Amino acid sequence: MIVPLVLTALLSGGVSITIENGVTELSGRVEYTVQVVNREPRPVQADVRIAFPPGLANLRAEGATLSTNYAGWEALLPTGTSTFRLSGRADGGRPSDAVAATACVYLENPTRPEVCASDIDTIGVKGDWSVLGVVALLMALTGGAGAAYLLLRTRRTVTELATPSDREPERV
């Protein structure tokens, strides 16, 4: 287990990268967080790029150059972790389509990445499910309460009918 990690660190020139958006299903607003770790004892000049999925619109990425299919940051990476963020609205694709965002670090060669990472998600159903979910929950609770009331009312009526009313009261 340690050998592959050491080999990866040696081959990547002391730089590693991760990408995460915190969801497994893209629907509505999404934010990708890219973290680059520089394990070199000195700062490293790098180009950090994220190729985002098609259909991501209304993009925001502080300090980045945005194109139609990727965002790029030219950065002097200090020793330690540097974080880059890209947000947008997922507006394309069919539900259950798999899409990927891939982040790469380019050091000396601008056409060959030093190291990359991907985040793969599926396209979710469009719409604001938080509001629809609350409405559905309220409808279910109202329906459940109504059903419970009718059941209890029916039981009481059946119990009252089952009690013989023609017997004489007990005398004490």
Side-chain angles (χ1 to χ4, degrees), residues 42-170:
R42 59 178 170 59
V44 174
Q45 185 64 40
D47 187 10
V48 178
R49 296 181 205 160
I50 176 173
F52 46 82
L56 201 61
N58 301 329
L59 300 171
R60 290 189 200 128
E62 187 176 325
T65 302
L66 292 171
S67 76
T68 56
N69 54 2
Y70 78 90
W73 295 264
E74 288 185 22
L76 184 61
L77 303 173
T79 300
T81 303
S82 299
T83 303
F84 305 89
R85 288 186 172 74
L86 169 78
S87 66
R89 183 159 190 81
D91 287 334
R94 296 182 317 251
S96 79
D97 279 353
V99 293
T102 301
C104 297
V105 175
Y106 296 80
L107 296 176
E108 288 93 27
N109 187 344
T111 60
R112 188 179 135 260
E114 199 68 29
V115 63
C116 294
S118 291
D119 181 79
I120 300 173
D121 301 307
T122 57
I123 299 290
V125 178
K126 293 181 182 179
D128 189 357
W129 284 97
S130 59
V131 172
L132 293 176
V134 169
V135 170
L137 177 63
L138 288 175
M139 289 177 64
L141 289 174
T142 304
Y149 171 75
L150 290 175
L151 268 171
L152 290 174
R153 184 173 175 215
T154 305
R155 254 192 204 156
R156 189 173 9 158
T157 305
V158 170
T159 305
E160 290 169 4
L161 290 176
T163 307
S165 61
D166 57 340
R167 69 178 181 170
E168 290 196 32
E170 291 183 32

Side-chain angles (χ1 to χ4, degrees), residues 14-26:
V15 176
S16 63
I17 190 167
T18 60
I19 181 172
E20 176 62 40
N21 62 5
V23 298
T24 58
E25 186 175 89
L26 294 183

